Amino acid sequence: MEREDESEAVHDRFMKRAIALARRGVGRVSPNPLVGAVLVKKGRVVAEGYHLYEKKNHAEVVALERAGRQAAGASLYLNLEPCTHQGRTPPCVDRIVEARVAQVHVAVRDPNPQVAGKGIRRLRNQGIGVHEGLCRGEAIVLNEKYLHFVQRKRPFVLLKLAMTLDGKIATGSGQSQWITGAQARKEVHRLRYEYDAILVGVNTLLQDDPSLEVRWTRSNSIIKVILDSRLRTPPKAKLFKSSDRVIIFCGRQAPKKKFETLSKKATLIRVSGKKGELNWKEVLAHLARLKITSLMIEGGAQVAASALQTGMVQKIHFFYGPRIVGGSGLSGIEDLGVKRLEEAIKLSGVRLKHLSGDFGVEAYVDFSSLSPS
């Protein structure tokens, strides 16, 4: 029994290393998944690799090329099932077979219909031992954006808000800078780095004129998205000053002249809407067609409420500063129509993070508490 426990601990350590390597690709792999690879022979790591979109080669190929002849008879640890289809690169499964790897440990299967168990089946058919499920939970969280996108055909959505302790995003006069301190704002930029696109409503744009920049250098440019049913976006808004792509969703009845003017600055897409609120399903479907796998909503209150009510939000990250504004302040989320506590949107997997006087709350939206959208 002691030997089995020791063996499990060793396998666990190598898979955690693969997951750590995969994490180095955060912000640099979309629309592909985060993947790390570790090749082990006689208890020793002989090669490692991780995927970066601009460098094309998948993690397992990077590790195999670094290992050379040492790959023969080795064990390969992967946080995600290897691919079997021709994409920008040849199938990784073929390279694993050619390298004569003896064992492959896979944390989680890839739900992509082009893979979906085919990689594991091909390896086993070639006489390679495959072991599944090691560090599965951690591997799922690592690739939650990719897995959601593949399975639901729409971007994984995070709702981010910065609020006072009583849930206000600004004073009654509209002042909002700064509710939280430098460390919390740095954490926001880290989140922006992880997501393909940032979205705000036009009211936030008019009130704050945000640039929506990402302070960290990233190879994939961030896409800035605005919900603006009547095209009130100013052509001189700060977010137009960078080279990042801007997409504006507007109503089907948006003024033609404004449409023509803003079309010179951004990609404009008409979607259906009701009472000034645009159809979230159409918005996310358009973003999915552009291979935007993840979206971070940064306000405002009406946008936050409509996204939550329609079940479009998978995760929330709220930052709280140690301030109280009171009833005259602007609420972070508009009326959700909740009349009884049983109707409130429930959260799961809640985590708290202290940020030098401020604190962050991260959680997943419990879809069982939402009405079908």
Side-chain angles (χ1 to χ4, degrees), residues 53-66:
Y53 188 80
E54 74 272 15
K55 293 190 177 180
K56 293 190 179 181
N57 277 346
H58 292 183
E60 44 271 67
V61 173
V62 174
L64 289 169
E65 288 184 349
R66 288 175 176 171

Side-chain angles (χ1 to χ4, degrees), residues 120-135:
I120 288 170
R121 188 160 57 249
R122 167 126 167 84
L123 291 173
R124 285 176 173 155
N125 288 342
Q126 293 296 316
I128 296 173
V130 180
H131 311 275
E132 297 183 66
L134 196 62
C135 301

Side-chain angles (χ1 to χ4, degrees), residues 90-160:
C92 291
V93 166
D94 293 349
R95 297 293 297 272
I96 294 170
V97 172
E98 289 167 9
R100 295 186 291 123
V101 169
Q103 305 282 330
V104 178
H105 296 263
V106 175
V108 66
R109 293 193 179 199
D110 188 341
N112 184 335
Q114 292 181 300
V115 187
K118 296 174 187 174
I120 288 170
R121 188 160 57 249
R122 167 126 167 84
L123 291 173
R124 285 176 173 155
N125 288 342
Q126 293 296 316
I128 296 173
V130 180
H131 311 275
E132 297 183 66
L134 196 62
C135 301
R136 186 173 184 274
E138 194 174 341
I140 288 173
V141 171
L142 174 73
N143 267 314
E144 61 187 6
K145 302 176 187 70
Y146 169 80
L147 297 173
H148 175 88
F149 180 77
V150 170
Q151 293 170 321
R152 300 294 298 275
K153 305 296 187 291
R154 65 190 190 200
F156 181 95
V157 177
L158 171 77
L159 174 62
K160 169 261 162 184

Side-chain angles (χ1 to χ4, degrees), residues 81-256:
E81 178 182 10
C83 66
T84 58
H85 60 287
Q86 176 71 46
R88 296 195 305 156
T89 60
C92 291
V93 166
D94 293 349
R95 297 293 297 272
I96 294 170
V97 172
E98 289 167 9
R100 295 186 291 123
V101 169
Q103 305 282 330
V104 178
H105 296 263
V106 175
V108 66
R109 293 193 179 199
D110 188 341
N112 184 335
Q114 292 181 300
V115 187
K118 296 174 187 174
I120 288 170
R121 188 160 57 249
R122 167 126 167 84
L123 291 173
R124 285 176 173 155
N125 288 342
Q126 293 296 316
I128 296 173
V130 180
H131 311 275
E132 297 183 66
L134 196 62
C135 301
R136 186 173 184 274
E138 194 174 341
I140 288 173
V141 171
L142 174 73
N143 267 314
E144 61 187 6
K145 302 176 187 70
Y146 169 80
L147 297 173
H148 175 88
F149 180 77
V150 170
Q151 293 170 321
R152 300 294 298 275
K153 305 296 187 291
R154 65 190 190 200
F156 181 95
V157 177
L158 171 77
L159 174 62
K160 169 261 162 184
L161 295 172
M163 298 181 284
T164 61
L165 286 180
D166 55 339
K168 308 299 181 182
I169 56 172
T171 64
S173 64
Q175 185 184 2
S176 60
Q177 295 182 346
W178 296 102
I179 288 174
T180 55
Q183 190 174 345
R185 296 198 297 274
K186 183 178 179 181
E187 186 74 1
V188 170
H189 280 273
R190 181 190 68 78
L191 284 172
R192 286 181 180 178
Y193 183 85
E194 292 184 9
Y195 281 75
D196 292 347
I198 305 171
L199 179 148
V200 295
V202 68
N203 289 333
T204 296
L205 191 73
L206 293 171
Q207 179 68 40
D208 300 335
D209 193 18
S211 62
L212 301 181
E213 296 297 319
V214 180
R215 289 177 187 165
W216 300 356
T217 302
R218 46 181 282 163
S219 53
N220 296 5
S221 62
I222 195 78
I223 295 173
K224 301 169 183 180
V225 183
I226 307 166
L227 298 187
D228 185 1
S229 60
R230 292 181 285 138
L231 291 181
R232 293 184 291 152
T233 298
K236 293 185 179 181
K238 284 182 184 176
L239 53 76
F240 291 128
K241 292 183 179 179
S242 73
S243 59
D244 296 326
R245 184 178 183 183
V246 178
I247 299 173
I248 301 176
F249 286 97
C250 62
R252 300 199 188 281
Q253 306 303 318
K256 184 178 179 181

Side-chain angles (χ1 to χ4, degrees), residues 256-309:
K256 184 178 179 181
K257 189 173 182 180
K258 289 185 176 180
F259 192 96
E260 291 172 353
T261 300
L262 287 170
S263 291
K264 299 171 185 175
K265 298 273 189 176
T267 300
L268 270 63
I269 302 174
R270 294 186 187 273
V271 294
S272 63
K274 189 183 294 185
K275 295 180 180 179
E277 290 189 6
L278 299 177
N279 187 302
W280 272 107
K281 284 188 175 180
E282 289 183 32
V283 168
L284 294 185
H286 278 288
L287 295 179
R289 283 194 283 273
L290 295 171
K291 293 189 176 181
I292 294 173
T293 64
S294 59
L295 175 69
M296 182 173 166
I297 298 174
E298 291 211 29
Q302 182 182 353
V303 169
S306 64
L308 285 166
Q309 279 182 313

